[in-house]
């Protein structure tokens, strides 16, 4: 059974930083591109970033470019999202997802078959 578990969310003031982490079990982490998504209340789930299986290629939604950095450590089966210069509009539930393939698919929910339960990020103004 595949499990995806996020951690690291919390409450932070605007301009602050948070680091999210994700671990998986039940799948070969190194064979999966991994993504981060977020969903604010009343909004659709939005793709934030993706990293391919070996970390050589990364992708970001325009709204987080230059502020967020995705990384992975295949020796520890961990995925991270370093979030700097946080804004109130970054407030959302953040989800980690495994793509089931080596390269990043389009950052759309239906392309990622395995999901975590999410971790809440709240940015106060």
């Amino acid at each position: 059974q595949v499990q995806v578990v996020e951690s690291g969310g919390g409450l932070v003031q605007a301009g602050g930083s948070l680091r999210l982490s994700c671990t998986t079990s039940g799948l070969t982490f190194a064979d999966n591109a991994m993504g981060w998504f977020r969903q604010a209340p009343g909004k659709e789930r939005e793709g934030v970033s993706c990293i391919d299986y070996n970390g050589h290629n990364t992708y970001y939604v325009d709204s987080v470019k230059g502020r967020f950095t995705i990384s992975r450590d295949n020796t520890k089966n961990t995925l991270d999202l370093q979030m700097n210069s946080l804004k109130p509009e970054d407030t959302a539930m953040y989800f980690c997802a495994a793509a089931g393939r080596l390269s990043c698919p389009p950052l759309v929910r239906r392309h990622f078959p395995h999901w975590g339960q999410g971790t809440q990020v709240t940015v106060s103004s």
Side-chain angles (χ1 to χ4, degrees), residues 15-112:
S17 298
L18 278 175
R19 189 176 185 88
L20 305 183
S21 294
C22 171
T23 61
T24 69
S25 61
L27 56 77
T28 304
F29 182 79
D31 288 346
N32 276 264
M34 298 294 297
W36 285 100
F37 289 72
R38 64 187 180 186
Q39 188 166 16
K43 294 190 176 181
E44 295 290 319
R45 192 167 296 189
E46 172 191 36
V48 174
S49 183
C50 185
I51 186 168
D52 66 9
Y53 75 106
N54 60 8
H56 288 181
N57 295 293
T58 58
Y59 306 89
Y60 299 91
V61 68
D62 285 347
S63 60
V64 308
K65 284 180 181 177
R67 300 189 298 122
F68 290 11
T69 302
I70 191 171
S71 62
R72 67 188 297 157
D73 185 341
N74 286 351
T75 66
K76 299 179 180 178
N77 284 9
T78 58
L79 173 76
D80 290 331
L81 185 69
Q82 178 65 42
M83 305 186 295
N84 298 329
S85 302
L86 282 161
K87 305 175 181 180
E89 51 263 44
D90 294 318
T91 294
M93 185 73 78
Y94 281 70
F95 298 88
C96 174
R101 49 182 274 178
L102 297 176
S103 60
C104 285
L107 266 174
V108 176
R109 185 173 183 172
R110 67 179 183 272
H111 290 298
F112 289 76

